[in-house]
Amino acid sequence: MKSLEIRNLQKTYFDPYAGTKVTAVQDVSLDIREGEFVSVVGPSGCGKTTILNMVAGFLPATGGEIRVGGRPVKGPGADRGVVFQSFALFPWKTVLDNVGFGPKMRGVPKAERDRIAREYLALAGLSHAADRYPNELSGGMQQRVGVVRALANDPDVLLMDEPFASVDAQTRMTLQEELTRIWQEKQHTVLFITHDVGEAVFLADRVVVLSKGRVMRDIPVTLPRPRVWDEVTEDEDFKRLSAEVLHMVRAA
Amino acid sequence: MATAELGAARLGPSRAMRRVVGAVTFLLPLLCLFLLWPVVTTAFDVNPRVFPGVGMVWAALVESVRDGSLFAHIGASLGRVLVGTALGILVAVPLGIAMGVSSGISTFLTPLFRFFSVLAGIAWIPIATLWFGYGFGAITFVIFNAVFFIVTYNTLLGVSAIPMRLRHAAASLGAGRRAMLTEVLLPGALPNIVTGIRTGLGFAWRGLIAAEMIATNVGLGYMLFVARDFYRTEVIVLGMIVIGALWLLIDRLLLAPLERATIERWGLVTRS
């Protein structure tokens, strides 16, 4: 587990259709402590996914700095695990081999990485699906695999890009609860991108509201853990925080 | 989950049934043609120099099997196809992947590929015989050509159809350049590569027969061409049947299942 520091991050690119320079991220600074869960929320076009792509190393930044555990980020790397909105499982690999992919890249022998993969699959209640191919699974199950695949590689920082946006509402709540449970067990440093205000508050230690490529507010969430929806929905703090964040996002 | 298993159980027998129905509907027209043949040749009393009777072709088959010449021709043709195809795939797949990964390389090479894919196959026979002389080299080159351009193009298509997020996922799980190639690009492009091999081999098979008529002294194409000089229509027709049947066997029993296996097993690559 390591900290994530984002300093004066900036991204501008040339839009060939409009023929102008577009600023996606204007000036974002954000620190995430070791083992802290931070949600970044904002309306579409606020630059939140661009930030994640730069932290992951998929996109070069045009300004500023990103550090993981003090070391500057250069390109994609196994120190930052990514969970994608569209799952991004390898369709030609079984669930077991998808989850064992990271350890395989580290040179872990087959028997040992299968053991690791099975351990993480059990954590998400997926032991029965180990030998299946991703296209045989429902969306919710595919994303469980996506999450444990990132976790099984034991990253310093976990980056999640609207991971539950493409599953149905019931499954989404289950996945959110599972994620908080697993997070409490493993205590990863998490950067979680979402446009869903309730989700952002439910999961995080801090909610960062983004607007037009800038950090608008940074709000601590002190709800007790473990969190389950049945209790949290009734919680006065949760209601107040959600309303507050929603108000800011809509004004953004 | 339970419903998925039920679904699979329900699909099981009906799938086998579909295979049988498929085979029957495929073979039935061929059988009709075969039955019609003796009827027509006797009813119109066709001169064997124009078209042979079934009996004559059967006799030619028995004779060529007995003296071993049929197997010599088939062996020579298949050997050339095997070598030409293997070489074609060996060169085409790395090149196609390089083109798929680098837009610079693919932009530069694509017009060349457009041009040469038109020429692929038999247009190369004359110059191939000048380069390699008559025989194995020239014919294998023609087959190589037919396979090479189509497989390269399909590999390129396959690589560029791999969603960027899969490459990102691999990179963020620690995949280096080599693992990216063996774990993502190759398996991701494989269904397209297999389709390319199937299409390319179809062209190669036609090119093979044409090339063997001109550039060799053994092989199925040569068998047809020489028989013509002696007015042996029964050998010509036997050769034609063997060429067609052999291709159908290769295509239906080898290539089509291979293509199905890669595509069905993984679901469509673009789906997840």
Side-chain angles (χ1 to χ4, degrees):
Chain A
M1 248 43 62
K2 290 198 173 129
S3 63
L4 172 66
E5 297 162 57
I6 300 172
R7 288 269 178 282
N8 305 108
L9 193 65
Q10 193 191 35
K11 181 69 186 178
T12 55
Y13 60 92
F14 184 76
D15 182 346
Y17 298 103
T20 53
K21 230 167 78 169
V22 180
T23 303
V25 177
Q26 200 151 34
D27 180 9
V28 168
S29 295
L30 175 64
D31 278 0
I32 304 182
R33 290 191 319 273
E34 275 180 58
E36 190 179 26
F37 195 125
V38 172
S39 293
V40 171
V41 66
S44 51
C46 71
K48 55 190 190 296
T49 292
T50 309
I51 293 174
L52 183 131
N53 281 327
M54 287 190 284
V55 175
F58 303 150
L59 268 182
T62 44
E65 213 179 8
I66 301 163
R67 286 169 180 273
V68 171
R71 282 185 32 207
V73 158
K74 250 179 131 188
D79 55 334
R80 286 146 291 142
V82 182
V83 181
F84 299 82
Q85 180 179 348
S86 47
F87 321 143
L89 303 178
F90 304 117
W92 49 84
K93 287 182 184 292
T94 60
V95 165
L96 189 74
D97 288 343
N98 263 282
V99 178
F101 187 83
K104 185 179 184 183
M105 294 301 102
R106 292 201 308 267
V108 176
K110 172 85 176 143
E112 172 64 5
R113 64 176 187 256
D114 281 357
R115 192 195 60 74
I116 296 172
R118 284 188 195 282
E119 180 194 316
Y120 276 90
L121 284 172
L123 195 63
L126 280 168
S127 298
H128 63 284
D131 297 323
R132 299 213 191 169
Y133 284 85
N135 72 313
E136 299 171 306
L137 306 182
S138 68
M141 282 168 82
Q142 289 193 45
Q143 194 56 304
R144 283 187 179 92
V145 178
V147 172
V148 293
R149 181 178 67 176
L151 291 175
N153 204 27
D154 199 22
D156 295 329
V157 177
L158 188 61
L159 310 172
M160 307 186 81
D161 183 15
E162 306 201 32
F164 307 140
S166 47
V167 298
D168 66 86
Q170 263 74 43
T171 310
R172 188 180 309 142
M173 293 174 111
T174 313
L175 288 173
Q176 287 159 350
E177 289 179 345
E178 281 177 16
L179 179 62
T180 55
R181 177 175 58 78
I182 294 172
W183 176 81
Q184 270 190 284
E185 199 170 313
K186 301 279 173 185
Q187 292 284 323
H188 278 91
T189 309
V190 182
L191 172 64
F192 190 101
I193 304 289
T194 181
H195 62 260
D196 180 334
V197 169
E199 175 175 76
V201 175
F202 177 80
L203 293 171
D205 295 325
R206 266 162 61 209
V207 175
V208 171
V209 182
L210 216 64
S211 168
K212 301 188 181 78
R214 285 175 183 280
V215 173
M216 208 174 144
R217 278 287 293 282
D218 192 332
I219 307 156
V221 181
T222 49
L223 301 174
R225 295 180 186 269
R227 297 176 188 167
V228 282
W229 273 113
D230 284 346
E231 293 165 17
V232 172
T233 338
E234 303 299 320
D235 191 292
E236 288 307 318
D237 281 344
F238 174 77
K239 286 184 196 163
R240 184 182 48 75
L241 269 172
S242 299
E244 191 184 337
V245 173
L246 182 66
H247 183 73
M248 277 186 285
V249 169
R250 298 201 65 185
Chain B
M1 203 196 123
T3 52
E5 271 159 14
L6 271 176
R10 207 160 7 91
L11 268 175
S14 87
R15 178 174 284 189
M17 204 49 210
R18 275 209 307 274
R19 288 268 158 85
V20 173
V21 172
V24 170
T25 45
F26 187 84
L27 291 174
L28 191 66
L30 295 172
L31 187 70
C32 287
L33 182 67
F34 189 78
L35 292 176
L36 199 65
W37 172 16
V39 175
V40 173
T41 46
T42 35
F44 296 92
D45 195 17
V46 177
N47 184 339
R49 283 202 170 187
V50 176
F51 205 85
V54 178
M56 290 170 67
V57 174
W58 177 253
L61 173 68
V62 171
E63 185 199 326
S64 60
V65 167
R66 196 165 288 160
D67 68 14
S69 61
L70 182 64
F71 297 119
H73 290 308
I74 290 177
S77 293
L78 286 181
R80 290 160 185 153
V81 169
L82 198 69
V83 173
T85 304
L87 286 176
I89 293 169
L90 275 177
V91 183
V93 170
L95 184 64
I97 287 179
M99 287 174 74
V101 173
S102 153
S103 65
I105 297 178
S106 77
T107 312
F108 183 78
L109 290 180
T110 299
L112 294 175
F113 271 77
R114 289 264 163 82
F115 180 78
F116 281 107
S117 55
V118 178
L119 289 179
I122 56 179
W124 284 88
I125 296 171
I127 204 157
T129 56
L130 286 179
W131 291 348
F132 300 100
Y134 287 82
F136 186 79
I139 296 166
T140 307
F141 178 76
V142 169
I143 292 164
F144 167 86
N145 232 287
V147 171
F148 170 74
F149 287 103
I150 292 168
V151 173
T152 304
Y153 190 65
N154 272 272
T155 308
L156 164 67
L157 283 183
V159 170
S160 32
I162 298 171
M164 191 48 94
R165 61 177 184 274
L166 291 184
R167 286 159 71 176
H168 281 160
S172 70
L173 288 165
R177 289 172 77 95
R178 187 157 159 198
M180 192 63 81
L181 180 71
T182 56
E183 302 279 344
V184 181
L185 300 178
L186 263 180
L190 195 61
N192 284 75
I193 294 174
V194 173
T195 304
I197 291 170
R198 191 180 173 195
T199 322
L201 262 175
F203 283 106
W205 191 249
R206 294 169 184 85
L208 167 85
I209 305 302
E212 283 180 343
M213 288 186 181
I214 300 166
T216 184
N217 54 15
V218 63
L220 290 167
Y222 174 79
M223 174 179 154
L224 296 192
F225 205 64
V226 165
R228 179 198 164 274
D229 289 347
F230 299 97
Y231 293 98
R232 297 205 48 190
T233 54
E234 76 278 14
V235 176
I236 297 179
V237 170
L238 172 66
M240 290 166 72
I241 293 173
V242 171
I243 289 166
L246 215 51
W247 171 252
L248 286 182
L249 284 176
I250 295 173
D251 188 58
R252 292 242 137 195
L253 298 183
L254 199 73
L255 301 175
L258 193 65
E259 189 176 36
R260 262 202 310 274
T262 54
I263 293 171
E264 270 177 18
R265 190 81 197 261
W266 302 338
L268 288 175
V269 165
T270 45
R271 225 171 84 185
S272 81

